[in-house]
PDB file of all heavy atoms in Angstrom:
ATOM      1  N   SER J 128     -14.435   9.193 -19.683  1.00  0.00           N
ATOM      2  CA  SER J 128     -15.244   8.491 -20.684  1.00  0.00           C
ATOM      3  C   SER J 128     -14.461   7.442 -21.438  1.00  0.00           C
ATOM      4  O   SER J 128     -14.915   6.335 -21.602  1.00  0.00           O
ATOM      5  CB  SER J 128     -15.847   9.487 -21.671  1.00  0.00           C
ATOM      6  OG  SER J 128     -14.800  10.208 -22.316  1.00  0.00           O
ATOM      7  N   CYS J 129     -13.273   7.783 -21.946  1.00  0.00           N
ATOM      8  CA  CYS J 129     -12.517   6.828 -22.749  1.00  0.00           C
ATOM      9  C   CYS J 129     -11.069   7.246 -22.777  1.00  0.00           C
ATOM     10  O   CYS J 129     -10.699   8.261 -22.176  1.00  0.00           O
ATOM     11  CB  CYS J 129     -13.099   6.735 -24.169  1.00  0.00           C
ATOM     12  SG  CYS J 129     -12.993   8.330 -25.065  1.00  0.00           S
ATOM     13  N   LEU J 130     -10.247   6.530 -23.532  1.00  0.00           N
ATOM     14  CA  LEU J 130      -8.829   6.819 -23.649  1.00  0.00           C
ATOM     15  C   LEU J 130      -8.622   7.819 -24.765  1.00  0.00           C
ATOM     16  O   LEU J 130      -9.036   7.591 -25.887  1.00  0.00           O
ATOM     17  CB  LEU J 130      -8.052   5.533 -23.934  1.00  0.00           C
ATOM     18  CG  LEU J 130      -6.547   5.663 -24.090  1.00  0.00           C
ATOM     19  CD1 LEU J 130      -5.944   6.036 -22.725  1.00  0.00           C
ATOM     20  CD2 LEU J 130      -5.933   4.371 -24.597  1.00  0.00           C
ATOM     21  N   ARG J 131      -7.988   8.942 -24.456  1.00  0.00           N
ATOM     22  CA  ARG J 131      -7.688   9.957 -25.467  1.00  0.00           C
ATOM     23  C   ARG J 131      -6.233   9.867 -25.874  1.00  0.00           C
ATOM     24  O   ARG J 131      -5.389   9.585 -25.043  1.00  0.00           O
ATOM     25  CB  ARG J 131      -7.984  11.343 -24.922  1.00  0.00           C
ATOM     26  CG  ARG J 131      -9.463  11.575 -24.660  1.00  0.00           C
ATOM     27  CD  ARG J 131      -9.680  12.965 -24.135  1.00  0.00           C
ATOM     28  NE  ARG J 131     -11.105  13.202 -23.864  1.00  0.00           N
ATOM     29  CZ  ARG J 131     -11.568  14.327 -23.369  1.00  0.00           C
ATOM     30  NH1 ARG J 131     -10.748  15.309 -23.053  1.00  0.00           N
ATOM     31  NH2 ARG J 131     -12.870  14.471 -23.173  1.00  0.00           N
ATOM     32  N   SER J 132      -5.947  10.180 -27.135  1.00  0.00           N
ATOM     33  CA  SER J 132      -4.585  10.161 -27.632  1.00  0.00           C
ATOM     34  C   SER J 132      -4.425  11.205 -28.690  1.00  0.00           C
ATOM     35  O   SER J 132      -5.384  11.598 -29.349  1.00  0.00           O
ATOM     36  CB  SER J 132      -4.264   8.779 -28.187  1.00  0.00           C
ATOM     37  OG  SER J 132      -2.990   8.766 -28.778  1.00  0.00           O
ATOM     38  N   GLY J 133      -3.192  11.628 -28.802  1.00  0.00           N
ATOM     39  CA  GLY J 133      -2.930  12.615 -29.841  1.00  0.00           C
ATOM     40  C   GLY J 133      -2.948  11.985 -31.199  1.00  0.00           C
ATOM     41  O   GLY J 133      -3.063  12.680 -32.194  1.00  0.00           O
ATOM     42  N   ARG J 134      -2.811  10.679 -31.250  1.00  0.00           N
ATOM     43  CA  ARG J 134      -2.855   9.983 -32.531  1.00  0.00           C
ATOM     44  C   ARG J 134      -4.176   9.246 -32.657  1.00  0.00           C
ATOM     45  O   ARG J 134      -4.770   8.829 -31.676  1.00  0.00           O
ATOM     46  CB  ARG J 134      -1.704   8.968 -32.640  1.00  0.00           C
ATOM     47  CG  ARG J 134      -0.324   9.630 -32.551  1.00  0.00           C
ATOM     48  CD  ARG J 134       0.741   8.564 -32.609  1.00  0.00           C
ATOM     49  NE  ARG J 134       2.061   9.166 -32.482  1.00  0.00           N
ATOM     50  CZ  ARG J 134       3.187   8.457 -32.457  1.00  0.00           C
ATOM     51  NH1 ARG J 134       3.123   7.142 -32.530  1.00  0.00           N
ATOM     52  NH2 ARG J 134       4.367   9.074 -32.346  1.00  0.00           N
ATOM     53  N   LYS J 135      -4.553   9.038 -33.907  1.00  0.00           N
ATOM     54  CA  LYS J 135      -5.768   8.277 -34.162  1.00  0.00           C
ATOM     55  C   LYS J 135      -5.467   6.801 -34.015  1.00  0.00           C
ATOM     56  O   LYS J 135      -4.461   6.305 -34.475  1.00  0.00           O
ATOM     57  CB  LYS J 135      -6.300   8.544 -35.565  1.00  0.00           C
ATOM     58  CG  LYS J 135      -6.831   9.956 -35.731  1.00  0.00           C
ATOM     59  CD  LYS J 135      -7.429  10.141 -37.109  1.00  0.00           C
ATOM     60  CE  LYS J 135      -8.006  11.540 -37.280  1.00  0.00           C
ATOM     61  NZ  LYS J 135      -8.606  11.750 -38.614  1.00  0.00           N
ATOM     62  N   THR J 136      -6.345   6.133 -33.411  1.00  0.00           N
ATOM     63  CA  THR J 136      -6.166   4.689 -33.211  1.00  0.00           C
ATOM     64  C   THR J 136      -7.488   4.003 -33.342  1.00  0.00           C
ATOM     65  O   THR J 136      -8.545   4.582 -33.102  1.00  0.00           O
ATOM     66  CB  THR J 136      -5.585   4.416 -31.814  1.00  0.00           C
ATOM     67  OG1 THR J 136      -5.506   2.999 -31.643  1.00  0.00           O
ATOM     68  CG2 THR J 136      -6.435   4.985 -30.705  1.00  0.00           C
ATOM     69  N   ASN J 137      -7.417   2.751 -33.733  1.00  0.00           N
ATOM     70  CA  ASN J 137      -8.637   1.941 -33.878  1.00  0.00           C
ATOM     71  C   ASN J 137      -8.921   1.068 -32.675  1.00  0.00           C
ATOM     72  O   ASN J 137      -9.799   0.226 -32.699  1.00  0.00           O
ATOM     73  CB  ASN J 137      -8.515   1.041 -35.117  1.00  0.00           C
ATOM     74  CG  ASN J 137      -8.453   1.876 -36.400  1.00  0.00           C
ATOM     75  OD1 ASN J 137      -9.113   2.914 -36.490  1.00  0.00           O
ATOM     76  ND2 ASN J 137      -7.673   1.397 -37.379  1.00  0.00           N
ATOM     77  N   ASP J 138      -8.096   1.213 -31.605  1.00  0.00           N
ATOM     78  CA  ASP J 138      -8.325   0.400 -30.413  1.00  0.00           C
ATOM     79  C   ASP J 138      -9.641   0.770 -29.777  1.00  0.00           C
ATOM     80  O   ASP J 138     -10.016   1.947 -29.737  1.00  0.00           O
ATOM     81  CB  ASP J 138      -7.197   0.608 -29.404  1.00  0.00           C
ATOM     82  CG  ASP J 138      -5.875   0.096 -29.953  1.00  0.00           C
ATOM     83  OD1 ASP J 138      -5.920  -0.780 -30.862  1.00  0.00           O
ATOM     84  OD2 ASP J 138      -4.814   0.571 -29.475  1.00  0.00           O
ATOM     85  N   PRO J 139     -10.341  -0.190 -29.281  1.00  0.00           N
ATOM     86  CA  PRO J 139     -11.626   0.112 -28.603  1.00  0.00           C
ATOM     87  C   PRO J 139     -11.359   0.885 -27.329  1.00  0.00           C
ATOM     88  O   PRO J 139     -10.321   0.751 -26.702  1.00  0.00           O
ATOM     89  CB  PRO J 139     -12.213  -1.259 -28.323  1.00  0.00           C
ATOM     90  CG  PRO J 139     -11.045  -2.166 -28.253  1.00  0.00           C
ATOM     91  CD  PRO J 139     -10.051  -1.633 -29.251  1.00  0.00           C
ATOM     92  N   PRO J 140     -12.279   1.721 -26.957  1.00  0.00           N
ATOM     93  CA  PRO J 140     -12.104   2.506 -25.728  1.00  0.00           C
ATOM     94  C   PRO J 140     -12.088   1.606 -24.507  1.00  0.00           C
ATOM     95  O   PRO J 140     -12.750   0.583 -24.477  1.00  0.00           O
ATOM     96  CB  PRO J 140     -13.315   3.424 -25.721  1.00  0.00           C
ATOM     97  CG  PRO J 140     -14.343   2.705 -26.505  1.00  0.00           C
ATOM     98  CD  PRO J 140     -13.579   1.976 -27.587  1.00  0.00           C
ATOM     99  N   LEU J 141     -11.267   1.986 -23.540  1.00  0.00           N
ATOM    100  CA  LEU J 141     -11.194   1.244 -22.279  1.00  0.00           C
ATOM    101  C   LEU J 141     -12.354   1.604 -21.395  1.00  0.00           C
ATOM    102  O   LEU J 141     -12.801   2.751 -21.371  1.00  0.00           O
ATOM    103  CB  LEU J 141      -9.882   1.563 -21.563  1.00  0.00           C
ATOM    104  CG  LEU J 141      -8.611   1.146 -22.313  1.00  0.00           C
ATOM    105  CD1 LEU J 141      -7.397   1.584 -21.519  1.00  0.00           C
ATOM    106  CD2 LEU J 141      -8.591  -0.347 -22.533  1.00  0.00           C
ATOM    107  N   LEU J 142     -12.864   0.606 -20.678  1.00  0.00           N
ATOM    108  CA  LEU J 142     -13.965   0.860 -19.769  1.00  0.00           C
ATOM    109  C   LEU J 142     -13.472   1.645 -18.577  1.00  0.00           C
ATOM    110  O   LEU J 142     -12.330   1.502 -18.137  1.00  0.00           O
ATOM    111  CB  LEU J 142     -14.585  -0.461 -19.318  1.00  0.00           C
ATOM    112  CG  LEU J 142     -15.218  -1.312 -20.437  1.00  0.00           C
ATOM    113  CD1 LEU J 142     -15.709  -2.624 -19.855  1.00  0.00           C
ATOM    114  CD2 LEU J 142     -16.353  -0.535 -21.110  1.00  0.00           C
ATOM    115  N   THR J 143     -14.343   2.435 -18.081  1.00  0.00           N
ATOM    116  CA  THR J 143     -14.005   3.230 -16.904  1.00  0.00           C
ATOM    117  C   THR J 143     -14.165   2.385 -15.657  1.00  0.00           C
ATOM    118  O   THR J 143     -14.833   1.366 -15.656  1.00  0.00           O
ATOM    119  CB  THR J 143     -14.912   4.465 -16.817  1.00  0.00           C
ATOM    120  OG1 THR J 143     -16.249   4.007 -16.680  1.00  0.00           O
ATOM    121  CG2 THR J 143     -14.758   5.341 -18.027  1.00  0.00           C
ATOM    122  N   GLY J 144     -13.598   2.819 -14.589  1.00  0.00           N
ATOM    123  CA  GLY J 144     -13.718   2.112 -13.317  1.00  0.00           C
ATOM    124  C   GLY J 144     -12.427   2.232 -12.552  1.00  0.00           C
ATOM    125  O   GLY J 144     -11.415   2.693 -13.079  1.00  0.00           O
ATOM    126  N   PRO J 145     -12.435   1.808 -11.332  1.00  0.00           N
ATOM    127  CA  PRO J 145     -11.211   1.916 -10.517  1.00  0.00           C
ATOM    128  C   PRO J 145     -10.130   0.987 -11.041  1.00  0.00           C
ATOM    129  O   PRO J 145     -10.396  -0.113 -11.499  1.00  0.00           O
ATOM    130  CB  PRO J 145     -11.687   1.488  -9.117  1.00  0.00           C
ATOM    131  CG  PRO J 145     -12.890   0.631  -9.372  1.00  0.00           C
ATOM    132  CD  PRO J 145     -13.558   1.215 -10.587  1.00  0.00           C
ATOM    133  N   SER J 146      -8.925   1.484 -11.019  1.00  0.00           N
ATOM    134  CA  SER J 146      -7.782   0.708 -11.492  1.00  0.00           C
ATOM    135  C   SER J 146      -7.558  -0.477 -10.556  1.00  0.00           C
ATOM    136  O   SER J 146      -7.625  -0.325  -9.335  1.00  0.00           O
ATOM    137  CB  SER J 146      -6.521   1.590 -11.514  1.00  0.00           C
ATOM    138  OG  SER J 146      -6.739   2.692 -12.382  1.00  0.00           O
ATOM    139  N   PRO J 147      -7.309  -1.660 -11.146  1.00  0.00           N
ATOM    140  CA  PRO J 147      -7.089  -2.846 -10.287  1.00  0.00           C
ATOM    141  C   PRO J 147      -5.832  -2.675  -9.454  1.00  0.00           C
ATOM    142  O   PRO J 147      -4.792  -2.276  -9.959  1.00  0.00           O
ATOM    143  CB  PRO J 147      -6.967  -3.997 -11.283  1.00  0.00           C
ATOM    144  CG  PRO J 147      -6.537  -3.355 -12.567  1.00  0.00           C
ATOM    145  CD  PRO J 147      -7.164  -2.006 -12.587  1.00  0.00           C
ATOM    146  N   THR J 148      -5.962  -2.990  -8.184  1.00  0.00           N
ATOM    147  CA  THR J 148      -4.830  -2.888  -7.263  1.00  0.00           C
ATOM    148  C   THR J 148      -4.020  -4.171  -7.323  1.00  0.00           C
ATOM    149  O   THR J 148      -4.583  -5.256  -7.219  1.00  0.00           O
ATOM    150  CB  THR J 148      -5.331  -2.670  -5.836  1.00  0.00           C
ATOM    151  OG1 THR J 148      -6.159  -1.508  -5.824  1.00  0.00           O
ATOM    152  CG2 THR J 148      -4.158  -2.477  -4.878  1.00  0.00           C
ATOM    153  N   PRO J 149      -2.692  -4.076  -7.542  1.00  0.00           N
ATOM    154  CA  PRO J 149      -1.883  -5.290  -7.598  1.00  0.00           C
ATOM    155  C   PRO J 149      -1.963  -6.066  -6.272  1.00  0.00           C
ATOM    156  O   PRO J 149      -1.951  -5.483  -5.203  1.00  0.00           O
ATOM    157  CB  PRO J 149      -0.462  -4.760  -7.850  1.00  0.00           C
ATOM    158  CG  PRO J 149      -0.498  -3.340  -7.415  1.00  0.00           C
ATOM    159  CD  PRO J 149      -1.885  -2.868  -7.687  1.00  0.00           C
ATOM    160  N   LYS J 150      -2.061  -7.412  -6.384  1.00  0.00           N
ATOM    161  CA  LYS J 150      -2.190  -8.252  -5.192  1.00  0.00           C
ATOM    162  C   LYS J 150      -0.894  -8.267  -4.397  1.00  0.00           C
ATOM    163  O   LYS J 150       0.189  -8.317  -4.958  1.00  0.00           O
ATOM    164  CB  LYS J 150      -2.559  -9.690  -5.578  1.00  0.00           C
ATOM    165  CG  LYS J 150      -3.935  -9.817  -6.198  1.00  0.00           C
ATOM    166  CD  LYS J 150      -4.256 -11.266  -6.479  1.00  0.00           C
ATOM    167  CE  LYS J 150      -5.654 -11.409  -7.060  1.00  0.00           C
ATOM    168  NZ  LYS J 150      -5.980 -12.804  -7.353  1.00  0.00           N
ATOM    169  N   SER J 151      -1.041  -8.243  -3.090  1.00  0.00           N
ATOM    170  CA  SER J 151       0.131  -8.288  -2.209  1.00  0.00           C
ATOM    171  C   SER J 151       0.424  -9.725  -1.823  1.00  0.00           C
ATOM    172  O   SER J 151      -0.465 -10.496  -1.492  1.00  0.00           O
ATOM    173  CB  SER J 151      -0.134  -7.457  -0.946  1.00  0.00           C
ATOM    174  OG  SER J 151       0.931  -7.588  -0.045  1.00  0.00           O
ATOM    175  N   TRP J 152       1.704 -10.107  -1.870  1.00  0.00           N
ATOM    176  CA  TRP J 152       2.130 -11.469  -1.538  1.00  0.00           C
ATOM    177  C   TRP J 152       2.536 -11.614  -0.082  1.00  0.00           C
ATOM    178  O   TRP J 152       2.917 -12.686   0.361  1.00  0.00           O
ATOM    179  CB  TRP J 152       3.293 -11.891  -2.432  1.00  0.00           C
ATOM    180  CG  TRP J 152       2.902 -12.005  -3.861  1.00  0.00           C
ATOM    181  CD1 TRP J 152       3.058 -11.098  -4.841  1.00  0.00           C
ATOM    182  CD2 TRP J 152       2.232 -13.123  -4.465  1.00  0.00           C
ATOM    183  NE1 TRP J 152       2.547 -11.552  -6.037  1.00  0.00           N
ATOM    184  CE2 TRP J 152       2.028 -12.803  -5.830  1.00  0.00           C
ATOM    185  CE3 TRP J 152       1.784 -14.361  -3.982  1.00  0.00           C
ATOM    186  CZ2 TRP J 152       1.404 -13.684  -6.708  1.00  0.00           C
ATOM    187  CZ3 TRP J 152       1.171 -15.225  -4.849  1.00  0.00           C
ATOM    188  CH2 TRP J 152       0.979 -14.879  -6.199  1.00  0.00           C
ATOM    189  N   LYS J 153       2.500 -10.530   0.684  1.00  0.00           N
ATOM    190  CA  LYS J 153       2.942 -10.588   2.074  1.00  0.00           C
ATOM    191  C   LYS J 153       2.158 -11.586   2.923  1.00  0.00           C
ATOM    192  O   LYS J 153       2.755 -12.317   3.723  1.00  0.00           O
ATOM    193  CB  LYS J 153       2.878  -9.200   2.713  1.00  0.00           C
ATOM    194  CG  LYS J 153       3.908  -8.237   2.131  1.00  0.00           C
ATOM    195  CD  LYS J 153       3.833  -6.882   2.820  1.00  0.00           C
ATOM    196  CE  LYS J 153       4.875  -5.918   2.270  1.00  0.00           C
ATOM    197  NZ  LYS J 153       4.814  -4.607   2.926  1.00  0.00           N
ATOM    198  N   PRO J 154       0.818 -11.660   2.776  1.00  0.00           N
ATOM    199  CA  PRO J 154       0.093 -12.625   3.625  1.00  0.00           C
ATOM    200  C   PRO J 154       0.466 -14.085   3.367  1.00  0.00           C
ATOM    201  O   PRO J 154       0.214 -14.953   4.179  1.00  0.00           O
ATOM    202  CB  PRO J 154      -1.382 -12.370   3.283  1.00  0.00           C
ATOM    203  CG  PRO J 154      -1.408 -10.988   2.739  1.00  0.00           C
ATOM    204  CD  PRO J 154      -0.108 -10.824   2.012  1.00  0.00           C
ATOM    205  N   TYR J 155       1.080 -14.365   2.171  1.00  0.00           N
ATOM    206  CA  TYR J 155       1.405 -15.741   1.829  1.00  0.00           C
ATOM    207  C   TYR J 155       2.844 -16.120   2.155  1.00  0.00           C
ATOM    208  O   TYR J 155       3.222 -17.275   2.051  1.00  0.00           O
ATOM    209  CB  TYR J 155       1.151 -15.983   0.337  1.00  0.00           C
ATOM    210  CG  TYR J 155      -0.268 -15.655  -0.093  1.00  0.00           C
ATOM    211  CD1 TYR J 155      -0.568 -14.426  -0.664  1.00  0.00           C
ATOM    212  CD2 TYR J 155      -1.293 -16.583   0.092  1.00  0.00           C
ATOM    213  CE1 TYR J 155      -1.856 -14.116  -1.060  1.00  0.00           C
ATOM    214  CE2 TYR J 155      -2.592 -16.283  -0.289  1.00  0.00           C
ATOM    215  CZ  TYR J 155      -2.878 -15.041  -0.874  1.00  0.00           C
ATOM    216  OH  TYR J 155      -4.137 -14.750  -1.244  1.00  0.00           O
ATOM    217  N   ILE J 156       3.645 -15.141   2.528  1.00  0.00           N
ATOM    218  CA  ILE J 156       5.073 -15.420   2.755  1.00  0.00           C
ATOM    219  C   ILE J 156       5.273 -16.296   3.983  1.00  0.00           C
ATOM    220  O   ILE J 156       5.948 -17.322   3.943  1.00  0.00           O
ATOM    221  CB  ILE J 156       5.854 -14.089   2.886  1.00  0.00           C
ATOM    222  CG1 ILE J 156       5.843 -13.348   1.546  1.00  0.00           C
ATOM    223  CG2 ILE J 156       7.294 -14.362   3.328  1.00  0.00           C
ATOM    224  CD1 ILE J 156       6.520 -11.996   1.605  1.00  0.00           C
ATOM    225  N   LEU J 157       4.687 -15.918   5.149  1.00  0.00           N
ATOM    226  CA  LEU J 157       4.882 -16.660   6.392  1.00  0.00           C
ATOM    227  C   LEU J 157       4.336 -18.083   6.337  1.00  0.00           C
ATOM    228  O   LEU J 157       5.041 -19.037   6.683  1.00  0.00           O
ATOM    229  CB  LEU J 157       4.261 -15.889   7.561  1.00  0.00           C
ATOM    230  CG  LEU J 157       4.453 -16.504   8.951  1.00  0.00           C
ATOM    231  CD1 LEU J 157       5.944 -16.647   9.258  1.00  0.00           C
ATOM    232  CD2 LEU J 157       3.759 -15.659  10.019  1.00  0.00           C
ATOM    233  N   PRO J 158       3.067 -18.294   5.856  1.00  0.00           N
ATOM    234  CA  PRO J 158       2.594 -19.689   5.752  1.00  0.00           C
ATOM    235  C   PRO J 158       3.445 -20.526   4.808  1.00  0.00           C
ATOM    236  O   PRO J 158       3.701 -21.698   5.049  1.00  0.00           O
ATOM    237  CB  PRO J 158       1.149 -19.544   5.248  1.00  0.00           C
ATOM    238  CG  PRO J 158       0.739 -18.173   5.663  1.00  0.00           C
ATOM    239  CD  PRO J 158       1.991 -17.343   5.550  1.00  0.00           C
ATOM    240  N   GLY J 159       3.893 -19.909   3.698  1.00  0.00           N
ATOM    241  CA  GLY J 159       4.738 -20.643   2.767  1.00  0.00           C
ATOM    242  C   GLY J 159       6.047 -21.054   3.385  1.00  0.00           C
ATOM    243  O   GLY J 159       6.543 -22.163   3.173  1.00  0.00           O
ATOM    244  N   ALA J 160       6.633 -20.123   4.181  1.00  0.00           N
ATOM    245  CA  ALA J 160       7.907 -20.443   4.830  1.00  0.00           C
ATOM    246  C   ALA J 160       7.729 -21.570   5.844  1.00  0.00           C
ATOM    247  O   ALA J 160       8.558 -22.470   5.960  1.00  0.00           O
ATOM    248  CB  ALA J 160       8.468 -19.199   5.509  1.00  0.00           C
ATOM    249  N   ILE J 161       6.623 -21.535   6.608  1.00  0.00           N
ATOM    250  CA  ILE J 161       6.374 -22.585   7.601  1.00  0.00           C
ATOM    251  C   ILE J 161       6.178 -23.938   6.930  1.00  0.00           C
ATOM    252  O   ILE J 161       6.735 -24.957   7.340  1.00  0.00           O
ATOM    253  CB  ILE J 161       5.158 -22.222   8.465  1.00  0.00           C
ATOM    254  CG1 ILE J 161       5.459 -20.957   9.306  1.00  0.00           C
ATOM    255  CG2 ILE J 161       4.771 -23.375   9.373  1.00  0.00           C
ATOM    256  CD1 ILE J 161       4.272 -20.465  10.088  1.00  0.00           C
ATOM    257  N   LEU J 162       5.380 -23.947   5.839  1.00  0.00           N
ATOM    258  CA  LEU J 162       5.136 -25.195   5.131  1.00  0.00           C
ATOM    259  C   LEU J 162       6.418 -25.752   4.535  1.00  0.00           C
ATOM    260  O   LEU J 162       6.691 -26.948   4.589  1.00  0.00           O
ATOM    261  CB  LEU J 162       4.085 -24.965   4.039  1.00  0.00           C
ATOM    262  CG  LEU J 162       3.669 -26.194   3.216  1.00  0.00           C
ATOM    263  CD1 LEU J 162       3.098 -27.259   4.124  1.00  0.00           C
ATOM    264  CD2 LEU J 162       2.672 -25.802   2.143  1.00  0.00           C
TER     265      LEU J 162
END
């Protein structure tokens, strides 16, 4: 539902959903090297 903490905070709750996957740079390495 939201972010829980042992301390009280006024930060708005984070939306739920799948965590963003960091982008991979591997597909860009070979074309960049050729260019």
Side-chain angles (χ1 to χ4, degrees):
S128 59
C129 62
L130 180 68
R131 294 180 181 178
S132 175
R134 299 178 182 178
K135 291 184 178 180
T136 177
N137 295 324
D138 295 337
L141 297 177
L142 297 176
T143 62
S146 300
T148 304
K150 294 183 178 179
S151 175
W152 294 97
K153 292 181 179 180
Y155 304 97
I156 293 177
L157 183 59
I161 295 175
L162 182 59

